[in-house]
Amino acid sequence: MSYRAPLNEMLFTLRHAAAIDAIATLPGLEDSNFETAQAVLEECARFNSEVIAPLNHPGDIEPATLANGEVTTSPGFRSAYEQFAAAGWQGVQHALDHGGQGLAKLVATPCMEMLHASNMSFALAPLLTDGAIEALVVAGSEELQERFLPNMVAGKWTGTMNLTESQAGSDLAVVRTRATPQADGSYRICGEKIFITYGEHDLAENIIHLVLARIDGAPPGVKGISLFVVPKFMVGADGALGARNDVWCASIEHKLGIKASPTAVLLFGDGKFPVGAAGAEEAGAIGYLVGKENRGLEHMFVMMNAARFAVGLQGVALSDRAYQKALAYARERTQSRDIAGSSGPVPIIRHPDVRRMLMTMKASTEAMRALAYFGAATSDRAAHCADAEERARSQALYEYLVPIIKGWSTEMAVEIASLGVQVHGGMGFVEETGAAQYYRDARILPIYEGTTAIQANDLIGRKTVRDAGATARTVIAAIRATEEELAARGGDDFEVIGERLGAGRAALEAVVDFVVQEFRNDVRAVFAGSVPYLRLAGIVLGGWQMACAALAAADELQGEGADRAFLSAKIGTARFYADYLLTQAPGLGIAVVAGAAGVLALDEEQFG
């Protein structure tokens, strides 16, 4: 089956979880209203269903290949990318000044979801380009922006993020790539970077690498890292392409999933393409400093933060794709009689445990989507709100949400894709069925752009302890207000949802208090519960969004011409989420507050 974008669900979420019409009142986002979003999403759904999605399974079978340092992408990818760029999809959320469409991040978010659901391997190139654009917008000089951004926004050039080295995985303090200043203000970059997504490919005419390196004589550790633009082909002041830069793809990885996405080992300054600087041809890739010396990690974090949000959205997208496939199979596969009695075998969707699995997939995906769209709207407020204090509050909230969106959504994607295989039974374990690809593709999500533990540590250290839990408590207060709405609404479903949400909120509140109070007393005990804290936050905030959706659906049911089947399903799905997923929250709270003794119980020698 091909991908079908869940447009009704997306539009409902834009309207209610993300309040898109309020976003369209912000300065500069007046065109990002519901009607515009609906038109954009409908065209985006058509494009992805017809052009991008059909390449997903073939790309898994015929992945990208490398020969003599040049990568050839999977059959059909190049043509699809040309269509993607020509249609302007890369520039949806980027500024008009750079050739973009100037729409809200909130409008771009469902477009990104559709692209990743259609073909995650393909979508990784635009994902990294978006992040590189953001980094240059925030930290790049006017000259660098004018030279590189228009063609990146147009999709003619793509962008990459070069952090990791073989001896420096997540620990960037030990980055060895070096940068030597040149008389003309450029730098010679020499070193090796690994795990570079779309570090080499044939989709676009140029690749703009953003590279972390250490300037000769820089301080040790993260305080001595700078950020550089290193193009595959040199770019003149007039934007014309010049000589090949000294960047060489030594190999591409053979991976468990996302096989059609070339993951490169790049050699900078290896001497394969000696290039002139001030008239002399010599080894060393030519790069240009982004921002200030020794502030590279700070500047690169703009790109990392954008990528982390986008990877969380990949979790939503892949979950929805796995759910669609499992649902279609459950409707057509007949096996065994109905336990309530039937004349013969029935479609397996009638079996209660298959229903439980499908409801888990559906409810989790809807909760993750709502939280991601809410996060996108918060980012738009942080960037565009006229009031400075409101911008600051929104930025703090967005930064609190990003590790949750990334960490929780990606962990859930693995579980949901696994359930998709389980719904298929033995056929799910057979590659030709297609369900296994989603499971394999999903497994990278909790790893790249910062593992779940890194997201959880960030949630504790930078996002909870740094402001003494103030932002977390703002969210908790909003959840409590939703509990009051549920209680006022009445009725069995809303009372139960409110009760479960209240228990989850209480567990989250206790954990925030524990983290803030114990951080200075026993930091190891706090970090022992970091991932359970992240999962708890995701489940509770997801439950909050599901509760809000149920309330909104109940209101819409009162109107004329309401889609009763869709809206009643929203309420029923929220009830399932409350009963089966929110009920996990109190146990996770106990694991955080009291679980360190078990985590730290054994000496290293006792792990035998």
Side-chain angles (χ1 to χ4, degrees):
M1 60 168 289
S2 186
Y3 170 67
R4 292 182 60 192
L7 285 175
N8 284 348
E9 177 63 32
M10 289 174 163
L11 293 169
F12 180 92
T13 306
L14 284 176
R15 187 186 291 277
H16 296 294
I20 188 170
D21 285 331
I23 295 300
T25 66
L26 298 175
L29 297 181
E30 292 84 0
D31 291 335
S32 297
N33 53 43
F34 182 81
E35 288 73 22
T36 298
Q38 184 171 10
V40 171
L41 266 59
E42 287 173 353
E43 176 56 23
C44 190
R46 183 204 62 77
F47 176 81
N48 280 287
S49 176
E50 295 178 3
V51 178
I52 307 299
L55 301 174
N56 188 48
H57 185 58
D60 187 60
I61 297 169
E62 295 186 70
T65 57
L66 173 71
N68 299 319
E70 302 285 343
V71 167
T72 301
T73 50
S74 300
F77 271 45
R78 187 169 182 174
S79 173
Y81 184 81
E82 289 172 354
Q83 295 175 67
F84 172 85
W89 292 115
Q90 186 73 65
V92 171
Q93 65 179 315
H94 298 301
L96 295 169
D97 291 347
H98 300 128
Q101 297 179 38
L103 294 175
K105 184 182 183 75
L106 180 57
V107 177
T109 294
C111 296
M112 288 190 286
E113 180 190 337
M114 288 185 229
L115 187 64
H116 289 294
S118 297
N119 190 328
M120 197 169 87
S121 287
F122 178 93
L124 280 163
L127 183 159
L128 270 300
T129 304
D130 276 336
I133 291 168
E134 283 202 40
L136 287 173
V137 166
V138 171
S141 66
E142 185 176 340
E143 179 187 358
L144 288 180
Q145 291 180 14
E146 290 177 354
R147 185 177 296 193
F148 294 105
L149 284 180
N151 282 319
M152 295 174 73
V153 171
K156 291 180 66 177
W157 301 347
T158 63
T160 72
M161 178 165 53
N162 288 249
L163 292 80
T164 309
E165 300 176 7
S166 57
Q167 84 292 342
S170 300
D171 184 7
L172 297 175
V174 292
V175 161
R176 293 177 184 164
T177 300
R178 69 185 190 277
T180 303
Q182 304 296 296
D184 64 357
S186 67
Y187 292 76
R188 289 280 184 176
I189 311 296
C190 295
E192 177 185 281
K193 297 290 185 178
I194 65 172
F195 298 151
I196 308 307
T197 301
Y198 276 92
E200 167 60 28
H201 61 79
D202 61 354
L203 301 184
E205 64 184 20
N206 204 3
I207 304 172
I208 310 305
H209 303 291
L210 266 65
V211 183
L212 288 183
R214 197 177 298 279
I215 297 173
D216 295 343
V222 295
K223 293 183 179 179
I225 296 173
S226 299
L227 180 63
F228 300 88
V229 169
V230 184
K232 177 180 175 179
F233 289 96
M234 301 303 297
V235 180
D238 60 355
L241 296 185
R244 176 76 181 264
N245 206 353
D246 197 3
V247 183
W248 171 258
C249 179
S251 64
I252 57 175
E253 305 297 347
H254 302 280
K255 307 187 294 292
L256 176 69
I258 55 169
K259 293 183 177 182
S261 165
T263 303
V265 174
L266 294 182
L267 305 180
F268 292 85
D270 195 50
K272 294 288 193 306
F273 299 99
V275 65
E281 286 196 356
E282 55 186 281
I286 294 178
Y288 307 95
L289 181 68
V290 178
K292 297 181 179 179
E293 289 188 6
N294 305 325
R295 298 273 295 275
L297 197 57
E298 174 188 333
H299 300 326
M300 181 65 94
F301 200 80
V302 174
M303 187 173 185
M304 284 193 284
N305 224 30
R308 286 174 176 181
F309 175 85
V311 172
L313 198 61
Q314 286 182 319
V316 179
L318 209 56
S319 297
D320 185 69
R321 190 74 190 267
Y323 169 66
Q324 287 189 27
K325 190 162 191 66
L327 177 60
Y329 184 81
R331 283 172 167 164
E332 69 185 25
R333 169 65 167 161
T334 57
Q335 182 172 301
S336 303
R337 287 174 169 77
D338 193 319
I339 59 172
S342 64
S343 58
V346 296
I348 62 173
I349 196 172
R350 297 187 192 174
H351 300 313
D353 194 59
V354 174
R355 289 286 188 97
R356 178 194 61 82
M357 289 189 285
L358 291 172
M359 284 296 288
T360 301
M361 298 172 80
K362 176 179 172 61
S364 300
T365 302
E366 290 184 13
M368 293 187 296
R369 178 182 291 115
L371 188 60
Y373 288 19
F374 175 78
T378 304
S379 176
D380 284 327
R381 290 190 181 93
H384 293 273
C385 189
D387 181 73
E389 291 185 4
E390 180 58 30
R391 287 200 306 273
R393 285 192 295 269
S394 296
Q395 184 63 32
L397 176 56
Y398 178 65
E399 290 177 357
Y400 180 80
L401 292 173
V402 166
I404 301 170
I405 291 168
K406 197 284 183 185
W408 176 59
S409 298
T410 59
E411 290 284 352
M412 287 304 301
V414 176
E415 295 182 23
I416 290 167
S418 180
L419 284 174
V421 173
Q422 189 74 13
V423 169
H424 283 78
M427 293 303 296
F429 205 67
V430 175
E431 286 288 356
E432 287 76 8
T433 308
Q437 182 188 347
Y438 305 131
Y439 187 35
R440 288 187 287 102
D441 286 353
R443 195 58 196 86
I444 187 59
L445 299 179
I447 298 174
Y448 65 12
E449 303 306 337
T451 64
T452 304
I454 288 173
Q455 307 305 316
N457 290 350
D458 180 52
L459 180 64
I460 284 178
R462 294 188 182 91
K463 308 301 166 59
T464 302
V465 173
R466 182 172 288 181
D467 70 354
T471 301
R473 292 190 180 100
T474 298
V475 178
I476 288 166
I479 296 172
R480 196 188 297 272
T482 301
E483 292 171 46
E484 294 173 359
E485 288 187 58
L486 291 163
R489 179 81 55 168
D492 181 62
D493 283 334
F494 292 103
E495 288 176 2
V496 170
I497 293 170
E499 177 185 336
R500 306 279 193 259
L501 182 60
R505 184 262 310 151
L508 179 59
E509 195 165 12
V511 163
V512 170
D513 290 342
F514 168 79
V515 167
V516 172
Q517 293 165 11
E518 293 299 315
F519 188 81
R520 297 189 183 280
N521 298 328
D522 191 351
V523 69
R524 294 183 77 222
V526 171
F527 279 98
S530 63
V531 170
Y533 169 30
L534 184 147
R535 186 178 180 92
L536 167 65
I539 287 172
V540 173
L541 269 62
W544 171 44
Q545 291 299 314
M546 293 298 282
C548 291
L551 289 166
D555 289 339
E556 284 200 12
L557 277 169
Q558 307 306 311
E560 293 185 11
D563 185 344
R564 305 194 67 81
F566 173 80
L567 296 169
S568 61
K570 293 295 296 181
I571 297 171
T573 306
R575 172 65 187 266
F576 173 89
Y577 189 99
D579 286 338
Y580 277 81
L581 297 167
L582 264 175
T583 47
Q584 299 172 15
L588 287 166
I590 293 169
V592 177
V593 173
V599 172
L600 305 173
L602 304 186
D603 293 330
E604 290 179 24
E605 294 74 16
Q606 290 178 287
F607 286 90

